[in-house]
Amino acid sequence: MTTRTQIFSDIDYAKDGKQVDWLYLPHSVTRSAYGNIAIPVAVIKNGEGPTALLTAGTHGDEYEGQIALCRLVRSIRPSDISGRIIVLTAANLPAAMAGARVSPIDGGNLNRAYPGDASGTPTFAIAHYVNSVLLPLANFYFDCHAGGSSLQYEPFVSMRKSDNPELDQRALAALKAFGAPMGLVWVHAHGTGLAVSSAIQRGIVTLGGEFGSAGSVSRHGVAIVERGIRNLLAHAGIMSAASNSPPMVEPRLIEVRNRDYYVLSPGAGVFEPAVELGEEIETGQLCGELHFVDDPVRAPLRAYFRTAGRVICKRHIGRVERGDCVAHLATPLSS
């Protein structure tokens, strides 16, 4: 038996019109015995039709999606759509307000907390609400990410391979319709408890993506997300394609297949990269050197790529610990 969510709201997901309100998660603390975490939510509905769930702020230091979804909430009217759009601009609100990847309340990473726990700490309670209340309403799901404070990324929209070939084909069609310069297919599952994995298990056409870097705000990334969301809504049949939309460009299709695509730091120190984003790499090529500033006579440790491919991600922060990802590759999507 599924435990009922603790989160309450005045939002009516079945009501036509535009509603902007808050999801209240009880959170009793010294400064507020009957306090609540107030997570913003918007619902735009016009008649019957598909539902798209759009989320940003799953990681609080990833801003392009947060900005793009705020603009969407302000600008879109019920008359613009047929169906329903549900928007969380700051899904893990405590993390978003702190500008941090994880919640300062419980240290929780919302994108490792699914399917969640209604009786758990705030991060797990939020995941439970999204998983048990919002995802069952959705036909399409887009969870917008960026590199966060520690990583630099080339921008891409992404999908994750499932065990359902028909669902994968629908997701690939949505990925192409999104219109980002690159489209990445995650064959290798990096981590468990992902929001998109819960959506895929429900048979929902699901997209993600990384649209920024290093905890900053990329104007280019924001523009890709804004245009891509409207393209996705048009593809879903929720919104008509804008007459002034730029012509669709076929994205470069790439994939991440296994752990060999990642380079991990061999120790703790300062990592000096030997490559740049977008560079094409050969197997065995030097990724970078690890320096020991507390022991200057110690020779640096070198880290090498274990396979060939394109550098789509590299670490932004110079200090590393053993096991930190310092770069990862992608290769052209195999048929």
Coordinates of all heavy atoms in Angstrom, one line a residue, residues 51-92:
T51 N -0.8 15.8 -21.6 CA -0.2 16.6 -20.5 C 1.3 16.5 -20.5 O 1.9 15.4 -20.7 CB -0.7 16.0 -19.1 OG1 -2.1 16.3 -18.9 CG2 0.1 16.7 -17.9
A52 N 2.0 17.7 -20.4 CA 3.4 17.7 -20.3 C 3.8 18.2 -18.9 O 3.3 19.2 -18.5 CB 4.0 18.7 -21.4
L53 N 4.7 17.5 -18.3 CA 5.3 17.9 -17.0 C 6.7 18.4 -17.3 O 7.5 17.7 -17.9 CB 5.3 16.7 -16.0 CG 6.1 16.9 -14.7 CD1 5.4 18.0 -13.9 CD2 6.1 15.6 -13.9
L54 N 6.9 19.6 -16.8 CA 8.2 20.3 -17.1 C 8.8 20.7 -15.7 O 8.2 21.4 -14.9 CB 8.0 21.6 -17.9 CG 7.2 21.4 -19.2 CD1 6.9 22.8 -19.8 CD2 7.8 20.5 -20.2
T55 N 10.0 20.2 -15.5 CA 10.7 20.5 -14.2 C 12.1 21.1 -14.4 O 12.8 20.7 -15.3 CB 10.8 19.3 -13.3 OG1 11.5 18.3 -14.0 CG2 9.4 18.7 -13.0
A56 N 12.4 22.0 -13.5 CA 13.8 22.5 -13.4 C 14.1 22.7 -11.9 O 13.3 22.5 -11.0 CB 13.9 23.9 -14.1
G57 N 15.3 23.0 -11.6 CA 15.7 23.1 -10.2 C 15.8 21.8 -9.4 O 15.8 21.8 -8.2
T58 N 15.8 20.7 -10.2 CA 16.1 19.4 -9.5 C 17.4 19.5 -8.8 O 17.6 19.0 -7.7 CB 16.1 18.3 -10.5 OG1 14.7 18.1 -11.1 CG2 16.5 17.0 -10.0
H59 N 18.4 20.1 -9.5 CA 19.6 20.6 -8.8 C 19.6 22.1 -8.8 O 19.4 22.7 -9.8 CB 20.8 20.0 -9.6 CG 21.0 18.6 -9.6 ND1 21.3 17.8 -10.7 CD2 20.8 17.7 -8.6 CE1 21.3 16.5 -10.4 NE2 21.0 16.4 -9.2
G60 N 19.8 22.6 -7.6 CA 19.6 24.1 -7.4 C 20.7 25.0 -8.1 O 20.4 26.2 -8.2
D61 N 21.8 24.4 -8.5 CA 22.9 25.2 -9.1 C 22.9 25.1 -10.6 O 23.9 25.3 -11.3 CB 24.2 24.9 -8.5 CG 24.6 23.4 -8.7 OD1 23.8 22.6 -9.1 OD2 25.8 23.1 -8.4
E62 N 21.7 24.7 -11.2 CA 21.6 24.6 -12.6 C 20.4 25.5 -13.1 O 19.2 25.2 -12.8 CB 21.3 23.1 -13.0 CG 22.5 22.2 -12.5 CD 22.2 20.7 -12.7 OE1 21.1 20.3 -13.1 OE2 23.2 20.0 -12.5
Y63 N 20.7 26.6 -13.8 CA 19.8 27.7 -13.8 C 19.1 27.9 -15.1 O 18.0 28.6 -15.1 CB 20.6 29.0 -13.5 CG 21.3 28.9 -12.2 CD1 22.7 28.9 -12.1 CD2 20.5 28.9 -11.0 CE1 23.3 28.8 -10.8 CE2 21.2 28.9 -9.7 CZ 22.5 28.8 -9.7 OH 23.2 28.8 -8.5
E64 N 19.6 27.4 -16.2 CA 19.0 27.7 -17.5 C 17.5 27.2 -17.6 O 16.6 28.0 -18.0 CB 19.7 27.0 -18.6 CG 21.1 27.6 -19.0 CD 22.2 27.3 -17.9 OE1 22.0 26.5 -17.1 OE2 23.2 28.0 -18.0
G65 N 17.2 26.0 -17.1 CA 15.8 25.6 -17.0 C 14.9 26.4 -16.1 O 13.8 26.7 -16.4
Q66 N 15.5 26.8 -14.9 CA 14.7 27.6 -14.0 C 14.3 28.9 -14.7 O 13.1 29.3 -14.5 CB 15.6 27.9 -12.8 CG 15.9 26.6 -12.0 CD 16.8 27.0 -10.7 OE1 16.4 27.8 -9.9 NE2 17.9 26.3 -10.6
I67 N 15.2 29.6 -15.4 CA 14.9 30.8 -16.1 C 13.9 30.6 -17.2 O 12.9 31.3 -17.3 CB 16.2 31.4 -16.6 CG1 17.1 31.9 -15.5 CG2 15.8 32.6 -17.5 CD1 18.5 32.3 -15.9
A68 N 14.1 29.6 -18.0 CA 13.2 29.3 -19.1 C 11.8 29.0 -18.7 O 10.8 29.4 -19.3 CB 13.8 28.2 -20.0
L69 N 11.7 28.2 -17.6 CA 10.3 27.8 -17.2 C 9.6 29.0 -16.5 O 8.4 29.1 -16.6 CB 10.4 26.6 -16.2 CG 10.8 25.3 -16.9 CD1 10.7 24.1 -15.9 CD2 9.9 25.0 -18.1
C70 N 10.4 29.9 -15.8 CA 9.7 31.1 -15.2 C 9.2 31.9 -16.4 O 8.0 32.4 -16.3 CB 10.8 31.9 -14.4 SG 11.1 31.2 -12.8
R71 N 9.9 32.1 -17.4 CA 9.4 32.9 -18.6 C 8.2 32.2 -19.2 O 7.2 32.9 -19.6 CB 10.5 33.0 -19.6 CG 11.6 34.0 -19.2 CD 12.5 34.3 -20.4 NE 13.5 35.3 -20.0 CZ 14.7 35.4 -20.4 NH1 15.2 34.5 -21.2 NH2 15.5 36.4 -20.0
L72 N 8.2 30.9 -19.3 CA 7.1 30.2 -19.9 C 5.8 30.4 -19.0 O 4.7 30.7 -19.5 CB 7.4 28.7 -20.0 CG 6.2 27.8 -20.6 CD1 6.2 28.0 -22.1 CD2 6.5 26.3 -20.2
V73 N 6.0 30.3 -17.7 CA 4.8 30.5 -16.8 C 4.2 31.9 -16.9 O 3.0 32.1 -17.0 CB 5.2 30.2 -15.3 CG1 4.2 30.7 -14.4 CG2 5.5 28.7 -15.1
R74 N 5.1 32.9 -17.1 CA 4.6 34.3 -17.2 C 4.0 34.5 -18.5 O 3.0 35.3 -18.6 CB 5.8 35.2 -17.0 CG 6.4 35.3 -15.6 CD 7.3 36.5 -15.4 NE 8.4 36.5 -16.3 CZ 9.6 36.0 -16.1 NH1 9.8 35.4 -14.9 NH2 10.6 36.1 -17.0
S75 N 4.4 33.9 -19.6 CA 4.0 34.3 -20.9 C 2.8 33.4 -21.5 O 2.0 33.9 -22.3 CB 5.2 34.2 -21.9 OG 5.6 32.8 -22.0
I76 N 2.7 32.2 -21.1 CA 1.8 31.3 -21.8 C 0.4 31.5 -21.2 O 0.1 31.8 -20.1 CB 2.2 29.8 -21.6 CG1 1.5 29.0 -22.6 CG2 1.9 29.3 -20.2 CD1 2.2 27.6 -22.8
R77 N -0.6 31.4 -22.1 CA -2.0 31.6 -21.8 C -2.8 30.3 -22.1 O -2.3 29.5 -23.0 CB -2.6 32.7 -22.7 CG -2.0 34.1 -22.5 CD -2.4 35.0 -23.6 NE -2.0 34.4 -24.9 CZ -2.3 35.0 -26.1 NH1 -3.0 36.2 -26.1 NH2 -1.9 34.5 -27.2
P78 N -3.8 30.0 -21.4 CA -4.6 28.8 -21.6 C -5.0 28.7 -23.1 O -5.0 27.6 -23.7 CB -5.8 28.9 -20.7 CG -5.3 29.7 -19.6 CD -4.4 30.7 -20.2
S79 N -5.4 29.8 -23.7 CA -5.8 29.8 -25.1 C -4.7 29.4 -26.1 O -5.0 29.1 -27.2 CB -6.4 31.2 -25.5 OG -5.4 32.2 -25.3
D80 N -3.4 29.4 -25.6 CA -2.3 29.0 -26.5 C -2.2 27.5 -26.6 O -1.4 27.1 -27.5 CB -1.0 29.5 -25.9 CG -0.9 31.0 -25.8 OD1 -1.5 31.7 -26.7 OD2 -0.2 31.6 -24.9
I81 N -2.9 26.7 -25.8 CA -2.7 25.3 -25.7 C -4.0 24.5 -25.9 O -5.1 25.0 -25.7 CB -1.9 24.9 -24.5 CG1 -2.9 25.0 -23.2 CG2 -0.6 25.7 -24.3 CD1 -2.3 24.4 -22.0
S82 N -3.8 23.2 -26.1 CA -4.9 22.2 -26.0 C -4.4 21.1 -25.2 O -3.5 20.3 -25.7 CB -5.3 21.8 -27.4 OG -5.8 22.8 -28.2
G83 N -4.8 21.0 -24.0 CA -4.3 20.0 -23.1 C -3.8 20.7 -21.8 O -4.5 21.6 -21.3
R84 N -2.7 20.2 -21.2 CA -2.3 20.7 -19.9 C -0.8 20.7 -19.8 O -0.1 19.8 -20.3 CB -2.9 19.8 -18.8 CG -2.5 20.1 -17.4 CD -3.3 19.3 -16.4 NE -3.2 17.8 -16.7 CZ -3.9 16.9 -16.1 NH1 -4.8 17.2 -15.1 NH2 -3.8 15.6 -16.4
I85 N -0.3 21.7 -19.2 CA 1.1 21.8 -18.8 C 1.3 22.0 -17.3 O 0.6 22.9 -16.7 CB 1.8 23.0 -19.6 CG1 1.6 23.0 -21.1 CG2 3.3 23.1 -19.2 CD1 2.0 24.2 -21.8
I86 N 2.1 21.2 -16.7 CA 2.4 21.3 -15.3 C 3.9 21.7 -15.1 O 4.7 21.1 -15.7 CB 2.1 20.0 -14.5 CG1 0.6 19.6 -14.7 CG2 2.4 20.2 -13.0 CD1 0.3 18.2 -14.2
V87 N 4.2 22.8 -14.4 CA 5.5 23.3 -14.3 C 6.0 23.4 -12.9 O 5.3 24.0 -12.0 CB 5.6 24.7 -15.0 CG1 7.0 25.2 -14.9 CG2 5.0 24.7 -16.4
L88 N 7.1 22.8 -12.6 CA 7.9 23.1 -11.3 C 9.1 23.8 -11.7 O 10.1 23.3 -12.3 CB 8.2 21.8 -10.6 CG 7.1 20.9 -10.1 CD1 7.6 19.7 -9.4 CD2 6.1 21.7 -9.2
T89 N 9.2 25.1 -11.4 CA 10.4 25.9 -11.7 C 11.6 25.6 -10.8 O 12.7 25.9 -11.2 CB 10.1 27.4 -11.7 OG1 9.6 27.7 -10.4 CG2 9.0 27.8 -12.8
A90 N 11.3 25.1 -9.6 CA 12.3 24.9 -8.6 C 11.9 23.6 -7.8 O 11.5 23.7 -6.7 CB 12.5 26.1 -7.7
A91 N 12.1 22.5 -8.5 CA 11.6 21.2 -7.9 C 12.1 21.0 -6.5 O 11.4 20.6 -5.6 CB 11.9 20.1 -8.8
N92 N 13.4 21.1 -6.3 CA 14.0 21.0 -5.0 C 14.3 22.4 -4.5 O 15.4 22.9 -4.5 CB 15.3 20.1 -5.0 CG 15.7 19.7 -3.6 OD1 15.2 20.2 -2.6 ND2 16.7 18.8 -3.6

